Amino acid sequence: MGPVLLVSIQVDLHDQLALSLQDDLTNAITTHGSKGVLIDISALSVVDSFMGRMLANIAGIARVLDAVTVVVGMQPAVAITLVELGLSLEGVRTALNIEKGITMLRAAVAHRDGPLHVMGDADDAD
Amino acid sequence: MDHTRARSGVRDLHPSAGLRHPGGQPAGIGRGANSRQPSDPVPEINTSRLDTILDQRFDELLAAWIVEQLQDFRRGQISESDLRAQCAELLQAVRRALSEGGTTNIASQPWAAARDLLTRVSSQRAQQGFAPSETATFVLSLKRPLFDALRREANDADTLATDVWTVTEVLDRLALFTTEAYLRSREDLITRQQEDMLELSTPVVKLWDGVLALPMIGTLDSSRTQIVMESLLERIVETGADVAILDITGVPTVDTLTAQHLLKTVTAARLMGAECIISGIRPQIAQTIVHLGVDLGDVVTKATLADAFKLALSRIGLSVGRARPATTQAPAAARASSD
């Protein structure tokens, strides 16, 4: 998706998988020069403190590499668990679904370095 | 000799007998293996003497009892005819229980009618707002008339002492049972009200497309917060809301724990991609929050729900404007504005 990377987590991440995702994503941001990362965790039903920290780490790494991270599609149970674990994911942007996430990314990047064209210019009409 | 045996027999019946649940275990459970049989002769003699007195002096006792109660009753809570009917029924039940069972163990079968009546009277009085002591007095006030009657009948001090003990025992157990029934009905009431309150006090209302409001009423404890949080998050998913307003006008006090619960809710909503605004902060509560050193972080707070709603609308890119002059304005003013 050009300047935006979409990561959709479809399986329950065990620790090793999470670490390799972090590696892959870091490399992908640098090779594509991405301005935004969208992480869809709508299929994630189980979350632990490691997972929470990993999301925060990815956001931190992306920020260092000049990309905005938005986590979308968190389920209510996951949100409550994270709060009870004391992980509020400070510094990570969140949105309800992919659509809103894209809008948010676009706004955030536009605010930073001018308009961003995602998914072709036809979208700019709306 | 008679006397001492009577006392030991009486004591033997004692453990928890008066504290049994109605329709609970039959008499005898909970007693030691080497304890007396229910056919212990001594209490039977005593109760039969009591039974005779109840039989012969029933009306006299009833009248004296009612007079006793009317003396210290608050008027208007219960009608005299109701009281009379309850007293007659209970005295009748006691008499029947004594003549049938010949035992002072009120957990036993012959006392079922008396127990039912007392349960009914207690729960009725609990609903009418009687104090527990007043409810127990219903039974305990029978003591003086009964003691008077016994004194008149008694021939020697020994018999009188034994009989007085028997009466005291029965009535004390009945009074304990009454108090317990009273408490039970009160507890039922409290439990029911608590459940009602939990259901009532956690509505999530949609104010506009993309704007939810959560008017919180009552004290915020952890179980309430859990329910509030869950229903809010579910509604966020359902409606796709961008902004949620937590209105705490109805929360009586805010302490560090309440603030922590609020912040948890705000954080959880933020993780779902919705922004939270806290509104309805009264002046005293604002002072408390600052004095307690509670850090609300970067959560936006507003004094009133209206202010919060205005902010919420601007966050989703809407604004409220006047489409035409308000209808309350005078025609002259309307004309002036159209010029």
Side-chain angles (χ1 to χ4, degrees), chain B residues 285-307:
Chain B
I285 289 191
Q287 288 184 28
T288 319
I289 288 176
V290 172
H291 287 157
L292 286 174
V294 174
D295 183 18
L296 285 177
D298 49 3
V299 183
V300 181
T301 52
K302 292 282 174 188
T304 63
L305 184 59
D307 289 342

Side-chain angles (χ1 to χ4, degrees), chain A residues 74-76 79-80 82-84 87-90 92 94-96 100, chain B residues 226 229-230 233-234 236-237 240-242 264 267-268 270-273:
Chain A
M74 191 180 292
Q75 296 196 3
I80 291 176
L82 282 181
V83 171
E84 295 297 338
L87 295 166
S88 55
L89 299 191
E90 294 291 341
V92 181
T94 48
L96 190 63
K100 290 187 180 198
Chain B
Q226 192 72 23
M229 212 193 275
E230 276 169 23
L233 297 191
E234 269 157 29
I236 288 177
V237 174
D242 294 305
K264 266 188 188 174
T267 313
R270 201 185 65 82
L271 286 177
M272 303 278 305

Side-chain angles (χ1 to χ4, degrees), chain A residues 47-65:
Chain A
V47 80
D48 57 8
S49 56
F50 181 79
M51 183 68 205
R53 213 178 67 220
M54 199 210 70
L55 287 175
N57 279 350
I58 289 180
I61 293 166
R63 192 160 47 237
V64 171
L65 295 173

Side-chain angles (χ1 to χ4, degrees), chain B:
Chain B
M1 189 61 212
D2 237 359
H3 179 76
T4 51
R5 278 188 64 205
R7 298 195 80 166
S8 71
V10 152
R11 203 166 281 154
D12 206 1
L13 287 164
H14 206 264
S16 70
L19 300 172
R20 288 245 182 275
H21 201 267
Q25 295 92 339
I29 282 187
R31 286 202 255 159
N34 58 350
S35 67
R36 266 167 230 267
Q37 294 303 302
S39 58
D40 190 349
V42 185
E44 267 180 40
I45 292 168
N46 292 342
T47 55
S48 75
R49 200 156 53 225
L50 193 61
D51 181 33
T52 322
I53 292 175
L54 275 176
D55 253 344
Q56 287 166 356
R57 296 169 174 265
F58 186 83
D59 292 334
E60 187 189 323
L61 274 172
L62 184 59
W65 187 20
I66 289 167
V67 168
E68 187 83 17
Q69 289 189 70
L70 286 178
Q71 277 172 359
D72 49 24
F73 245 168
R74 282 191 273 160
R75 301 268 163 188
Q77 277 180 320
I78 188 167
S79 72
E80 201 180 320
S81 58
D82 276 356
L83 179 66
R84 200 175 291 278
Q86 286 171 358
C87 287
E89 207 180 328
L90 181 62
L91 206 55
Q92 199 70 47
V94 168
R95 184 171 71 168
R96 243 193 336 268
L98 284 174
S99 64
E100 279 173 25
T103 168
T104 57
N105 183 359
I106 67 152
S108 60
Q109 183 53 38
W111 289 89
R115 286 199 310 264
D116 286 351
L117 173 68
L118 283 178
T119 313
R120 209 168 61 236
V121 170
S122 305
S123 58
Q124 186 192 341
R125 294 195 174 195
Q127 278 164 14
Q128 284 171 335
F130 277 76
S133 60
E134 284 172 317
T135 313
T137 310
F138 169 61
V139 175
L140 291 175
S141 56
L142 180 56
K143 268 187 186 179
R144 198 211 293 255
L146 259 181
F147 286 175
D148 283 347
L150 285 173
R151 197 162 55 227
R152 258 173 275 146
E153 290 282 317
N155 303 319
D156 61 301
D158 233 24
T159 326
L160 179 62
T162 320
D163 285 351
V164 164
W165 171 252
T166 316
V167 170
T168 308
E169 210 207 356
V170 170
L171 289 185
D172 283 354
R173 283 181 186 173
L174 287 176
L176 277 178
F177 179 83
T178 312
T179 316
E180 234 182 58
Y182 174 90
L183 280 181
R184 214 162 30 236
S185 62
R186 283 296 270 262
E187 269 163 20
D188 286 350
L189 189 74
I190 291 171
T191 317
R192 208 167 56 238
Q193 284 176 344
Q194 266 175 344
E195 283 165 5
D196 286 353
M197 223 176 78
L198 269 186
E199 281 173 16
L200 276 179
S201 54
T202 52
V204 182
V205 274
K206 183 175 166 183
L207 289 185
W208 202 267
D209 280 342
V211 181
L212 290 178
L214 195 79
M216 290 197 250
I217 293 154
T219 317
L220 273 184
D221 54 21
S222 12
S223 62
R224 285 272 315 273
T225 313
Q226 192 72 23
I227 294 174
V228 166
M229 212 193 275
E230 276 169 23
S231 48
L232 174 65
L233 297 191
E234 269 157 29
R235 289 282 285 168
I236 288 177
V237 174
E238 262 172 48
T239 60
D242 294 305
V243 187
I245 302 171
L246 306 181
D247 186 74
I248 58 167
T249 314
V251 179
T253 52
V254 173
D255 54 13
T256 45
L257 204 64
T258 315
Q260 202 192 339
H261 287 147
L262 271 177
L263 286 177
K264 266 188 188 174
T265 313
V266 171
T267 313
R270 201 185 65 82
L271 286 177
M272 303 278 305
E275 191 198 348
C276 277
I277 304 167
I278 298 180
S279 77
I281 301 181
R282 281 170 284 132
Q284 294 96 325
I285 289 191
Q287 288 184 28
T288 319
I289 288 176
V290 172
H291 287 157
L292 286 174
V294 174
D295 183 18
L296 285 177
D298 49 3
V299 183
V300 181
T301 52
K302 292 282 174 188
T304 63
L305 184 59
D307 289 342
F309 185 47
K310 208 184 287 175
L311 177 68
L313 286 180
S314 78
R315 285 289 155 89
I316 59 172
L318 296 175
S319 68
V320 180
R322 184 164 286 168
R324 57 187 163 75
T327 47
T328 50
Q329 273 180 331
R335 216 177 301 125
S337 71
S338 69
D339 285 344

